[in-house]
Amino acid sequence: MLVKEAKQFGEISNRNTKMPGTTFAIDAFACIKGSKLAKIEGTPCNSCYARKLQKMRPPVDKGWKANLAKYKAADPEQWSQAIAFQILRYNTDGFHRWFDSGDLQSIEMLDAIVQVCRMTPKIKHWLPTQERQFVEAYAGELPDNLTIRVSASKIDGKAPNYATTSGVTRDKSKATCPARTQGNSCGDCRACWDKSVSHVVYPKH
């Protein structure tokens, strides 16, 4: 497969200055649960940074919407192969984040991501999500190199009842994510990708 061919199915990014490795983003306005939460004060989605970025930067908006459209138009197996190909080509750090914008659209999308993880066994994948219904309904076995973190739906809310979760707090002293103290970067921290870390708390932007 050629890079040009692979990008016809969607594009990963290796230009995120905060995180290691690569990322994959889609339209934040297409989030299913997130679009409902965005209308409710006191939720992380109500002040979604990805939506703000899409409004401010038309090229970003266009690219993320294109990623979603290309996924929807693709054969799932071919999509998985194309995304895995790009991750293997561009990822030099061994870590990949799903949905730095957007979220799962279906059980089928989760399965396609699982296939990408299986094709990239040396890469650790982190998938944050509000779409817990797809996680619960997924009947397949999740690979060891995929950490799904179900996100709390309220700021300072109780951690969801899942093995690995995340939340947002207004109290910076309760935040476990160290990015704000190290140049807004992950630095050496890889807690989000680490299954042994049950809950990660981010400060509210």
Side-chain angles (χ1 to χ4, degrees):
M1 181 178 291
L2 300 175
V3 172
K4 184 178 180 180
E5 294 172 340
K7 289 184 176 182
Q8 292 178 359
F9 293 88
E11 296 187 37
I12 67 161
S13 173
N14 62 346
R15 299 183 296 274
N16 193 310
T17 57
K18 176 185 176 181
M19 297 179 198
T22 50
T23 60
F24 181 78
I26 61 173
D27 183 12
F29 291 91
C31 290
I32 302 169
K33 184 174 181 180
S35 291
K36 297 176 182 178
L37 293 175
K39 301 174 184 178
I40 304 173
E41 290 189 15
T43 70
C45 300
N46 184 243
S47 57
C48 177
Y49 76 93
R51 288 185 170 210
K52 293 177 182 177
L53 187 59
Q54 284 185 248
K55 290 179 179 179
M56 291 188 299
R57 297 178 61 183
V60 171
D61 179 65
K62 181 179 179 180
W64 290 353
K65 286 179 177 176
N67 271 352
L68 178 56
K70 290 176 180 178
Y71 164 76
K72 288 183 174 181
D75 171 81
E77 184 176 347
Q78 290 182 319
W79 182 86
S80 297
Q81 291 172 350
I83 299 302
F85 172 84
Q86 292 181 64
I87 291 174
L88 291 172
R89 182 176 179 87
Y90 294 113
N91 194 305
T92 58
D93 297 304
F95 297 88
H96 178 80
R97 174 182 173 170
W98 293 95
F99 306 122
D100 44 332
S101 171
D103 205 337
L104 287 169
Q105 299 291 298
S106 63
I107 298 173
E108 290 76 19
M109 189 178 213
L110 176 55
D111 186 63
I113 288 172
V114 166
Q115 302 316 313
V116 173
C117 296
R118 295 194 187 285
M119 294 177 199
T120 57
K122 294 184 179 180
I123 304 293
K124 289 189 176 181
H125 296 256
W126 159 39
L127 194 165
T129 185
Q130 288 282 4
E131 308 295 348
R132 57 199 73 190
Q133 72 276 16
F134 299 140
V135 178
E136 292 173 359
Y138 186 69
E141 183 177 351
L142 297 175
D144 291 338
N145 63 329
L146 172 61
T147 298
I148 297 178
R149 291 197 177 275
V150 176
S151 306
S153 56
K154 293 183 179 180
I155 296 173
D156 290 311
K158 185 178 179 180
N161 188 26
Y162 295 86
T164 47
T165 57
S166 63
V168 175
T169 182
R170 295 184 181 88
D171 185 348
K172 293 181 179 179
S173 68
K174 295 181 180 179
T176 60
C177 171
R180 65 186 176 86
T181 65
Q182 47 194 34
N184 198 34
S185 169
C186 292
D188 294 332
C189 180
R190 299 293 182 269
C192 295
W193 290 267
D194 190 344
K195 277 186 167 65
S196 69
V197 179
S198 60
H199 190 57
V200 178
V201 183
Y202 311 103
K204 184 181 181 300
H205 292 295

